[in-house]
Amino acid sequence: MNWNRIVNMKNSRMKRFSSSFLLILISCITSLGQEILPSEYNCFSVLVGKDASVDGTLLYGHNDDDGFQLVNYYVEPSKSHPEGAVAILQYGGSIPQVSTTNKFLWMEVPGMEVSDSFMNEYGVCIGSNFCGSRETKMDTTQGGILYDLRFIMAQRAKTAREAIHIAGSLIEQFGYRGSGRSYCISDREEAWVLSAVKGRRWAAARVPDDEVMILPNYYPIAEMDIKDTVNYLGSADLISYAQERGWYKPNENEKFNFRKTYASKGAFSNKGNTGRAWSAYSSLEEDYQRNDNFPFSFKPKKKVSKQRLMELLAGHSQGMQGMDKTESCTIGNPYELNEGMICNGGTIYSFVVESRPWMPVEIGTVMWIAPRRCDVQPFIPWYCGVTKVPDNYAKKGYFNSMKDHYNPPADIHQMSKNLAYWNFEVLSANINSDFVQKYPIAFDKKIKTEVSLFEAQEKFEKEALKIYKNNPEQAIHLITEYSNEQANKSFQQTVQLLTELGIPFPSPETKAIKIKDEVPAENN
């Protein structure tokens, strides 16, 4: 049990919905108190270049922090579209539809514009982190774009670089509605970060193959050379616009610094951001200090494995000077006492993607997903080739079109023990009631499950690859059944753990809460 690499916090918050007034159903359960997470705790990501990992695997780790939510899991099939078809965007814009859209695994958070993550059939994986910009002017056409950006990338991109071009074109055409956000996008060979700014400006940088990129909630891209289109991309007026606004003055002795130029005031020095970044660097045994000027990426002293990345995402700031007030979780609840948390009370899912280009993408790209809090839930392998998810991993009768995502029904947060996610929610929330006693029990079961899965992985994949060589369809059926079996085992283990720890499933009392949302601010 490696207590020095597990990172968490008490507070969690809900991201705002996209219309001016929305009804949100929230379970009012005394044991599940609604927590407020500061804006600097809005997701955390790590990208590991293939030459920076222990086995040549490109890795992408992510925690999505959204507070009390529901997460549905779907496989969206590839679809054919007639010539001349049009894709209608959320706010009224439209673009020509492509002839065929990709299949993808989709983690859908009803009603949320900036929470969903994807892994498509080509191994392109997409997630995002809030990164506030200094821009105050809203410049959009036909309502602008926000949620559609990630969805269209998942539908159309065959590589991370292609996804960047798709997103950049859409931002320039319609204008980005939010304050700012960074999208981490990986494929089988490359990892990229695209940073969007309110309006029509954007920048993108490729993570070097032998380096690691750590991203809390500030723009990670620092110095960049727009002329180097192998490693950097951006809107044509990225620099000239900054000069017009008085944010940037060219200096022959310095390269253009995107973060310094476009980030919101104080984002990089914010305690929540510096604390989590420092926790991550320390977990990887790097020598950076909390107030250092963290780079876009760095060469790690030791190669990174997927297991190490999972530990980083699932920790509690143990041993971190000034942040760990629980003596490595032995004298108190880190969710109430510690700071600089990576996985926190608002984490609704975590994943670690391993992309291995020497295998067929259906088997070689795996998204290991831990639902709700990854400190108590094991990471389960979802292979890129999966064609379905278990029925109890999505709310039945809810989703019929994208309109249902934007405007979910009033009972969307009605808890049901038959829906896997709510069991994960109840376990995570109630662990906190007696953390010192309950957490080690849940953590031990999590680790045992993961170790068993890691030990079985090579043998299972050898079998799948052997079948794939002669019958790809049969191999895809095999990996689909395997991923679904492991997901169901995780659900059953959680149900058993609730009984073992004496945690009853609550009978929720629900009410509608009206929330005002100023869409352009994207304070989420």
PDB file of all heavy atoms in Angstrom, residues 2 9 45 47 102 113 135 148 154 223-224 235 281 283 298 303 360 376 395 414 452 454 464 468 478 501 512-513:
ATOM      1  N   ASN A   2       0.915   1.983  -1.102  1.00  0.00           N
ATOM      2  CA  ASN A   2       1.813   3.139  -1.217  1.00  0.00           C
ATOM      3  C   ASN A   2       1.059   4.409  -0.848  1.00  0.00           C
ATOM      4  O   ASN A   2       0.480   5.090  -1.684  1.00  0.00           O
ATOM      5  CB  ASN A   2       2.350   3.239  -2.652  1.00  0.00           C
ATOM      6  CG  ASN A   2       3.486   4.224  -2.738  1.00  0.00           C
ATOM      7  OD1 ASN A   2       3.662   5.046  -1.853  1.00  0.00           O
ATOM      8  ND2 ASN A   2       4.261   4.136  -3.811  1.00  0.00           N
ATOM      9  N   MET A   9      -9.417  15.704  -1.813  1.00  0.00           N
ATOM     10  CA  MET A   9      -9.901  16.870  -1.076  1.00  0.00           C
ATOM     11  C   MET A   9     -11.391  16.814  -0.806  1.00  0.00           C
ATOM     12  O   MET A   9     -12.114  16.144  -1.490  1.00  0.00           O
ATOM     13  CB  MET A   9      -9.589  18.151  -1.857  1.00  0.00           C
ATOM     14  CG  MET A   9     -10.138  19.362  -1.216  1.00  0.00           C
ATOM     15  SD  MET A   9      -9.538  20.880  -1.977  1.00  0.00           S
ATOM     16  CE  MET A   9     -10.308  21.994  -0.871  1.00  0.00           C
ATOM     17  N   SER A  45      -5.099  16.679 -15.478  1.00  0.00           N
ATOM     18  CA  SER A  45      -4.662  15.779 -16.545  1.00  0.00           C
ATOM     19  C   SER A  45      -3.153  15.638 -16.567  1.00  0.00           C
ATOM     20  O   SER A  45      -2.421  16.554 -16.182  1.00  0.00           O
ATOM     21  CB  SER A  45      -5.138  16.293 -17.915  1.00  0.00           C
ATOM     22  OG  SER A  45      -6.548  16.359 -17.985  1.00  0.00           O
ATOM     23  N   LEU A  47      -0.230  13.989 -19.438  1.00  0.00           N
ATOM     24  CA  LEU A  47       0.087  13.338 -20.708  1.00  0.00           C
ATOM     25  C   LEU A  47       1.535  12.860 -20.656  1.00  0.00           C
ATOM     26  O   LEU A  47       2.431  13.614 -20.274  1.00  0.00           O
ATOM     27  CB  LEU A  47      -0.101  14.298 -21.878  1.00  0.00           C
ATOM     28  CG  LEU A  47      -1.548  14.739 -22.168  1.00  0.00           C
ATOM     29  CD1 LEU A  47      -1.572  15.870 -23.184  1.00  0.00           C
ATOM     30  CD2 LEU A  47      -2.382  13.560 -22.658  1.00  0.00           C
ATOM     31  N   ASN A 102     -17.467   8.575 -36.612  1.00  0.00           N
ATOM     32  CA  ASN A 102     -16.773   7.488 -35.918  1.00  0.00           C
ATOM     33  C   ASN A 102     -17.606   6.868 -34.808  1.00  0.00           C
ATOM     34  O   ASN A 102     -18.453   7.524 -34.199  1.00  0.00           O
ATOM     35  CB  ASN A 102     -15.480   8.020 -35.284  1.00  0.00           C
ATOM     36  CG  ASN A 102     -14.533   8.628 -36.284  1.00  0.00           C
ATOM     37  OD1 ASN A 102     -14.473   8.213 -37.436  1.00  0.00           O
ATOM     38  ND2 ASN A 102     -13.775   9.623 -35.848  1.00  0.00           N
ATOM     39  N   GLU A 113     -21.914  20.964 -20.240  1.00  0.00           N
ATOM     40  CA  GLU A 113     -21.328  21.319 -21.524  1.00  0.00           C
ATOM     41  C   GLU A 113     -19.836  21.031 -21.613  1.00  0.00           C
ATOM     42  O   GLU A 113     -19.277  21.018 -22.709  1.00  0.00           O
ATOM     43  CB  GLU A 113     -21.543  22.812 -21.807  1.00  0.00           C
ATOM     44  CG  GLU A 113     -22.981  23.195 -22.032  1.00  0.00           C
ATOM     45  CD  GLU A 113     -23.067  24.577 -22.647  1.00  0.00           C
ATOM     46  OE1 GLU A 113     -23.136  25.548 -21.888  1.00  0.00           O
ATOM     47  OE2 GLU A 113     -23.039  24.681 -23.880  1.00  0.00           O
ATOM     48  N   GLU A 135      -9.517  37.219 -21.470  1.00  0.00           N
ATOM     49  CA  GLU A 135     -10.385  37.849 -22.466  1.00  0.00           C
ATOM     50  C   GLU A 135     -11.732  38.225 -21.860  1.00  0.00           C
ATOM     51  O   GLU A 135     -12.362  37.430 -21.153  1.00  0.00           O
ATOM     52  CB  GLU A 135     -10.595  36.902 -23.644  1.00  0.00           C
ATOM     53  CG  GLU A 135     -11.475  37.445 -24.763  1.00  0.00           C
ATOM     54  CD  GLU A 135     -10.916  38.702 -25.399  1.00  0.00           C
ATOM     55  OE1 GLU A 135     -11.233  39.803 -24.886  1.00  0.00           O
ATOM     56  OE2 GLU A 135     -10.167  38.585 -26.382  1.00  0.00           O
ATOM     57  N   ASP A 148     -20.195  21.211 -28.473  1.00  0.00           N
ATOM     58  CA  ASP A 148     -20.049  20.556 -29.777  1.00  0.00           C
ATOM     59  C   ASP A 148     -18.595  20.351 -30.169  1.00  0.00           C
ATOM     60  O   ASP A 148     -18.284  19.468 -30.971  1.00  0.00           O
ATOM     61  CB  ASP A 148     -20.744  21.388 -30.867  1.00  0.00           C
ATOM     62  CG  ASP A 148     -22.225  21.519 -30.626  1.00  0.00           C
ATOM     63  OD1 ASP A 148     -22.943  20.523 -30.800  1.00  0.00           O
ATOM     64  OD2 ASP A 148     -22.670  22.618 -30.255  1.00  0.00           O
ATOM     65  N   ALA A 154     -14.521  13.931 -31.605  1.00  0.00           N
ATOM     66  CA  ALA A 154     -14.674  12.488 -31.428  1.00  0.00           C
ATOM     67  C   ALA A 154     -15.318  11.854 -32.658  1.00  0.00           C
ATOM     68  O   ALA A 154     -14.936  10.750 -33.074  1.00  0.00           O
ATOM     69  CB  ALA A 154     -15.513  12.201 -30.185  1.00  0.00           C
ATOM     70  N   GLU A 223       6.020  29.084 -23.624  1.00  0.00           N
ATOM     71  CA  GLU A 223       6.682  29.579 -24.827  1.00  0.00           C
ATOM     72  C   GLU A 223       6.336  28.701 -26.025  1.00  0.00           C
ATOM     73  O   GLU A 223       6.294  27.477 -25.915  1.00  0.00           O
ATOM     74  CB  GLU A 223       8.195  29.591 -24.621  1.00  0.00           C
ATOM     75  CG  GLU A 223       8.667  30.645 -23.632  1.00  0.00           C
ATOM     76  CD  GLU A 223      10.181  30.721 -23.560  1.00  0.00           C
ATOM     77  OE1 GLU A 223      10.844  29.816 -24.101  1.00  0.00           O
ATOM     78  OE2 GLU A 223      10.698  31.688 -22.977  1.00  0.00           O
ATOM     79  N   MET A 224       6.088  29.351 -27.158  1.00  0.00           N
ATOM     80  CA  MET A 224       5.747  28.595 -28.354  1.00  0.00           C
ATOM     81  C   MET A 224       6.261  29.319 -29.592  1.00  0.00           C
ATOM     82  O   MET A 224       6.355  30.547 -29.624  1.00  0.00           O
ATOM     83  CB  MET A 224       4.242  28.357 -28.441  1.00  0.00           C
ATOM     84  CG  MET A 224       3.375  29.599 -28.477  1.00  0.00           C
ATOM     85  SD  MET A 224       1.600  29.221 -28.433  1.00  0.00           S
ATOM     86  CE  MET A 224       1.390  28.238 -29.927  1.00  0.00           C
ATOM     87  N   SER A 235      -4.326  29.952 -33.922  1.00  0.00           N
ATOM     88  CA  SER A 235      -5.037  30.867 -34.806  1.00  0.00           C
ATOM     89  C   SER A 235      -4.040  31.844 -35.428  1.00  0.00           C
ATOM     90  O   SER A 235      -3.045  32.218 -34.812  1.00  0.00           O
ATOM     91  CB  SER A 235      -6.123  31.623 -34.029  1.00  0.00           C
ATOM     92  OG  SER A 235      -5.591  32.180 -32.847  1.00  0.00           O
ATOM     93  N   TYR A 281       4.245  16.530  -9.509  1.00  0.00           N
ATOM     94  CA  TYR A 281       5.689  16.489  -9.732  1.00  0.00           C
ATOM     95  C   TYR A 281       6.367  15.661  -8.649  1.00  0.00           C
ATOM     96  O   TYR A 281       7.284  14.867  -8.928  1.00  0.00           O
ATOM     97  CB  TYR A 281       6.269  17.907  -9.744  1.00  0.00           C
ATOM     98  CG  TYR A 281       6.029  18.663 -11.035  1.00  0.00           C
ATOM     99  CD1 TYR A 281       5.118  19.717 -11.086  1.00  0.00           C
ATOM    100  CD2 TYR A 281       6.715  18.328 -12.194  1.00  0.00           C
ATOM    101  CE1 TYR A 281       4.891  20.410 -12.259  1.00  0.00           C
ATOM    102  CE2 TYR A 281       6.497  19.017 -13.373  1.00  0.00           C
ATOM    103  CZ  TYR A 281       5.587  20.065 -13.407  1.00  0.00           C
ATOM    104  OH  TYR A 281       5.375  20.736 -14.576  1.00  0.00           O
ATOM    105  N   SER A 283       5.022  13.250  -6.872  1.00  0.00           N
ATOM    106  CA  SER A 283       4.653  11.852  -7.054  1.00  0.00           C
ATOM    107  C   SER A 283       5.550  11.183  -8.088  1.00  0.00           C
ATOM    108  O   SER A 283       5.861   9.998  -7.983  1.00  0.00           O
ATOM    109  CB  SER A 283       3.190  11.746  -7.484  1.00  0.00           C
ATOM    110  OG  SER A 283       2.820  10.408  -7.693  1.00  0.00           O
ATOM    111  N   PHE A 298       8.260  18.264 -19.281  1.00  0.00           N
ATOM    112  CA  PHE A 298       9.592  18.009 -18.740  1.00  0.00           C
ATOM    113  C   PHE A 298       9.974  16.548 -18.979  1.00  0.00           C
ATOM    114  O   PHE A 298       9.110  15.680 -19.155  1.00  0.00           O
ATOM    115  CB  PHE A 298       9.636  18.309 -17.240  1.00  0.00           C
ATOM    116  CG  PHE A 298       8.744  17.401 -16.426  1.00  0.00           C
ATOM    117  CD1 PHE A 298       9.253  16.269 -15.807  1.00  0.00           C
ATOM    118  CD2 PHE A 298       7.390  17.678 -16.293  1.00  0.00           C
ATOM    119  CE1 PHE A 298       8.428  15.422 -15.070  1.00  0.00           C
ATOM    120  CE2 PHE A 298       6.555  16.840 -15.558  1.00  0.00           C
ATOM    121  CZ  PHE A 298       7.083  15.711 -14.942  1.00  0.00           C
ATOM    122  N   LYS A 303      11.057   6.616 -15.877  1.00  0.00           N
ATOM    123  CA  LYS A 303       9.990   6.331 -16.832  1.00  0.00           C
ATOM    124  C   LYS A 303       8.686   6.072 -16.074  1.00  0.00           C
ATOM    125  O   LYS A 303       8.684   5.550 -14.961  1.00  0.00           O
ATOM    126  CB  LYS A 303      10.354   5.112 -17.671  1.00  0.00           C
ATOM    127  CG  LYS A 303      11.663   5.258 -18.436  1.00  0.00           C
ATOM    128  CD  LYS A 303      11.486   5.998 -19.730  1.00  0.00           C
ATOM    129  CE  LYS A 303      12.792   5.974 -20.525  1.00  0.00           C
ATOM    130  NZ  LYS A 303      12.652   6.469 -21.889  1.00  0.00           N
ATOM    131  N   PRO A 360      -3.232  -3.927 -33.044  1.00  0.00           N
ATOM    132  CA  PRO A 360      -4.447  -3.358 -33.646  1.00  0.00           C
ATOM    133  C   PRO A 360      -5.095  -2.407 -32.649  1.00  0.00           C
ATOM    134  O   PRO A 360      -5.120  -2.686 -31.448  1.00  0.00           O
ATOM    135  CB  PRO A 360      -5.329  -4.586 -33.909  1.00  0.00           C
ATOM    136  CG  PRO A 360      -4.387  -5.741 -33.958  1.00  0.00           C
ATOM    137  CD  PRO A 360      -3.267  -5.412 -33.024  1.00  0.00           C
ATOM    138  N   VAL A 376     -11.051   4.831  -4.256  1.00  0.00           N
ATOM    139  CA  VAL A 376     -11.752   3.659  -3.715  1.00  0.00           C
ATOM    140  C   VAL A 376     -12.300   2.742  -4.806  1.00  0.00           C
ATOM    141  O   VAL A 376     -12.728   1.631  -4.512  1.00  0.00           O
ATOM    142  CB  VAL A 376     -12.901   4.078  -2.766  1.00  0.00           C
ATOM    143  CG1 VAL A 376     -12.345   4.726  -1.514  1.00  0.00           C
ATOM    144  CG2 VAL A 376     -13.896   4.992  -3.444  1.00  0.00           C
ATOM    145  N   LYS A 395     -28.530   5.483 -17.480  1.00  0.00           N
ATOM    146  CA  LYS A 395     -29.933   5.629 -17.074  1.00  0.00           C
ATOM    147  C   LYS A 395     -30.836   5.237 -18.238  1.00  0.00           C
ATOM    148  O   LYS A 395     -30.725   5.787 -19.340  1.00  0.00           O
ATOM    149  CB  LYS A 395     -30.219   7.071 -16.666  1.00  0.00           C
ATOM    150  CG  LYS A 395     -31.639   7.319 -16.156  1.00  0.00           C
ATOM    151  CD  LYS A 395     -31.810   8.769 -15.703  1.00  0.00           C
ATOM    152  CE  LYS A 395     -33.254   9.067 -15.315  1.00  0.00           C
ATOM    153  NZ  LYS A 395     -33.660   8.311 -14.109  1.00  0.00           N
ATOM    154  N   GLN A 414     -32.155  11.411  -9.658  1.00  0.00           N
ATOM    155  CA  GLN A 414     -32.878  10.511  -8.755  1.00  0.00           C
ATOM    156  C   GLN A 414     -32.056   9.235  -8.586  1.00  0.00           C
ATOM    157  O   GLN A 414     -31.792   8.511  -9.543  1.00  0.00           O
ATOM    158  CB  GLN A 414     -34.248  10.161  -9.320  1.00  0.00           C
ATOM    159  CG  GLN A 414     -35.035   9.173  -8.478  1.00  0.00           C
ATOM    160  CD  GLN A 414     -35.606   9.822  -7.243  1.00  0.00           C
ATOM    161  OE1 GLN A 414     -36.208  10.888  -7.319  1.00  0.00           O
ATOM    162  NE2 GLN A 414     -35.430   9.185  -6.104  1.00  0.00           N
ATOM    163  N   SER A 452      -4.914  -7.918  -9.929  1.00  0.00           N
ATOM    164  CA  SER A 452      -5.437  -9.088 -10.634  1.00  0.00           C
ATOM    165  C   SER A 452      -5.625  -8.789 -12.124  1.00  0.00           C
ATOM    166  O   SER A 452      -5.286  -9.620 -12.977  1.00  0.00           O
ATOM    167  CB  SER A 452      -6.761  -9.515 -10.000  1.00  0.00           C
ATOM    168  OG  SER A 452      -7.342 -10.581 -10.728  1.00  0.00           O
ATOM    169  N   PHE A 454      -4.046  -6.412 -13.916  1.00  0.00           N
ATOM    170  CA  PHE A 454      -2.742  -6.218 -14.548  1.00  0.00           C
ATOM    171  C   PHE A 454      -2.084  -7.571 -14.843  1.00  0.00           C
ATOM    172  O   PHE A 454      -1.495  -7.767 -15.905  1.00  0.00           O
ATOM    173  CB  PHE A 454      -1.826  -5.387 -13.651  1.00  0.00           C
ATOM    174  CG  PHE A 454      -2.328  -3.999 -13.372  1.00  0.00           C
ATOM    175  CD1 PHE A 454      -2.015  -3.364 -12.172  1.00  0.00           C
ATOM    176  CD2 PHE A 454      -3.117  -3.320 -14.292  1.00  0.00           C
ATOM    177  CE1 PHE A 454      -2.469  -2.085 -11.906  1.00  0.00           C
ATOM    178  CE2 PHE A 454      -3.587  -2.044 -14.024  1.00  0.00           C
ATOM    179  CZ  PHE A 454      -3.258  -1.425 -12.830  1.00  0.00           C
ATOM    180  N   ALA A 464      -6.624 -12.586 -27.435  1.00  0.00           N
ATOM    181  CA  ALA A 464      -7.391 -11.702 -28.317  1.00  0.00           C
ATOM    182  C   ALA A 464      -6.654 -11.440 -29.632  1.00  0.00           C
ATOM    183  O   ALA A 464      -7.256 -11.427 -30.715  1.00  0.00           O
ATOM    184  CB  ALA A 464      -7.687 -10.390 -27.604  1.00  0.00           C
ATOM    185  N   TYR A 468      -7.800 -12.255 -33.333  1.00  0.00           N
ATOM    186  CA  TYR A 468      -7.942 -11.103 -34.230  1.00  0.00           C
ATOM    187  C   TYR A 468      -7.275 -11.347 -35.582  1.00  0.00           C
ATOM    188  O   TYR A 468      -7.762 -10.905 -36.620  1.00  0.00           O
ATOM    189  CB  TYR A 468      -7.334  -9.867 -33.571  1.00  0.00           C
ATOM    190  CG  TYR A 468      -7.562  -8.570 -34.340  1.00  0.00           C
ATOM    191  CD1 TYR A 468      -8.665  -7.768 -34.053  1.00  0.00           C
ATOM    192  CD2 TYR A 468      -6.683  -8.169 -35.334  1.00  0.00           C
ATOM    193  CE1 TYR A 468      -8.881  -6.586 -34.751  1.00  0.00           C
ATOM    194  CE2 TYR A 468      -6.890  -6.992 -36.035  1.00  0.00           C
ATOM    195  CZ  TYR A 468      -7.992  -6.198 -35.742  1.00  0.00           C
ATOM    196  OH  TYR A 468      -8.204  -5.032 -36.447  1.00  0.00           O
ATOM    197  N   LEU A 478     -14.944 -10.720 -28.141  1.00  0.00           N
ATOM    198  CA  LEU A 478     -14.258 -11.179 -26.938  1.00  0.00           C
ATOM    199  C   LEU A 478     -13.877 -10.017 -26.025  1.00  0.00           C
ATOM    200  O   LEU A 478     -14.138 -10.063 -24.812  1.00  0.00           O
ATOM    201  CB  LEU A 478     -12.999 -11.950 -27.331  1.00  0.00           C
ATOM    202  CG  LEU A 478     -12.099 -12.405 -26.172  1.00  0.00           C
ATOM    203  CD1 LEU A 478     -12.802 -13.460 -25.326  1.00  0.00           C
ATOM    204  CD2 LEU A 478     -10.768 -12.945 -26.708  1.00  0.00           C
ATOM    205  N   LEU A 501     -19.485  -2.550   4.961  1.00  0.00           N
ATOM    206  CA  LEU A 501     -19.212  -1.358   5.764  1.00  0.00           C
ATOM    207  C   LEU A 501     -20.456  -0.814   6.459  1.00  0.00           C
ATOM    208  O   LEU A 501     -20.392   0.212   7.144  1.00  0.00           O
ATOM    209  CB  LEU A 501     -18.606  -0.264   4.875  1.00  0.00           C
ATOM    210  CG  LEU A 501     -17.232  -0.575   4.277  1.00  0.00           C
ATOM    211  CD1 LEU A 501     -16.791   0.543   3.340  1.00  0.00           C
ATOM    212  CD2 LEU A 501     -16.195  -0.777   5.379  1.00  0.00           C
ATOM    213  N   ALA A 512     -36.191  20.449  -7.124  1.00  0.00           N
ATOM    214  CA  ALA A 512     -35.617  21.182  -8.252  1.00  0.00           C
ATOM    215  C   ALA A 512     -35.030  22.486  -7.754  1.00  0.00           C
ATOM    216  O   ALA A 512     -35.641  23.189  -6.954  1.00  0.00           O
ATOM    217  CB  ALA A 512     -36.692  21.464  -9.298  1.00  0.00           C
ATOM    218  N   ILE A 513     -33.839  22.787  -8.201  1.00  0.00           N
ATOM    219  CA  ILE A 513     -33.182  24.031  -7.830  1.00  0.00           C
ATOM    220  C   ILE A 513     -32.929  24.840  -9.083  1.00  0.00           C
ATOM    221  O   ILE A 513     -32.392  24.341 -10.061  1.00  0.00           O
ATOM    222  CB  ILE A 513     -31.853  23.758  -7.099  1.00  0.00           C
ATOM    223  CG1 ILE A 513     -32.125  23.043  -5.778  1.00  0.00           C
ATOM    224  CG2 ILE A 513     -31.086  25.041  -6.850  1.00  0.00           C
ATOM    225  CD1 ILE A 513     -30.879  22.725  -5.005  1.00  0.00           C
TER     226      ILE A 513
END
